[in-house]
Amino acid sequence: MTTRSCPCGLPASYDECCGRFHSGGAAAPTAEALMRSRYSAFVKRDPAYLLRTWHPRTRPARLDLDPGMRWTGLEILATTDGSAFHTTGTVTFRASYREGSLHERSRFERVDGAWVYVDGEFLN
């Protein structure tokens, strides 16, 4: 990842990629795009975006991000549904950090037309 590329791993710049979702200039069009933007929000330490894109039914009251956490990469392993033609979808991913990785299958739903994170299942 270069300093100009988006933390989510796509080749576009942050502003052209996840930054436009974080600023509210656009909404993630797919569950995978939302997953990538949420990963980037963890990298950028943007709890407001994370809470805004969390399903109201499962969203915590607050979110405290660990200032010592250093995310180092995102790998999308699989997606199921989650396009403009679906109301639900899953994204299986591996998010790496300095001393390990997080492997999860996340569930997403559309609420009022916007994709939101519902919950996730940790995988080995």
Side-chain angles (χ1 to χ4, degrees):
M1 178 173 80
T2 69
T3 57
R4 296 181 49 84
S5 63
C6 190
C8 80
L10 294 178
S13 72
Y14 169 73
D15 289 341
E16 294 170 337
C17 195
C18 294
R20 64 195 171 111
F21 304 140
H22 294 173
S23 70
T30 65
E32 180 181 337
L34 182 64
M35 174 63 242
R36 288 179 178 278
S37 71
R38 286 178 56 83
Y39 170 81
S40 291
F42 276 103
V43 172
K44 297 283 190 177
R45 293 186 184 89
D46 185 352
Y49 179 78
L50 293 165
L51 290 170
R52 191 168 67 244
T53 58
W54 211 310
H55 197 292
R57 170 176 87 238
T58 58
R59 179 175 44 225
R62 58 182 276 185
L63 184 61
D64 296 317
L65 301 180
D66 179 353
M69 179 63 86
R70 297 290 182 257
W71 297 99
T72 59
L74 176 67
E75 180 183 6
I76 302 297
L77 303 172
T79 61
T80 305
D81 298 334
S83 77
F85 302 105
H86 300 105
T87 56
T88 62
T90 64
V91 179
T92 304
F93 67 93
R94 181 171 291 110
S96 299
Y97 52 92
R98 264 199 193 143
E99 305 201 8
S101 66
L102 169 71
H103 188 193
E104 181 178 309
R105 180 178 303 113
S106 294
R107 292 186 320 127
F108 298 88
E109 290 181 12
R110 287 170 64 116
V111 173
D112 297 328
W115 285 106
V116 292
Y117 170 78
V118 177
D119 59 19
E121 170 190 4
F122 293 114
L123 306 170
N124 292 333

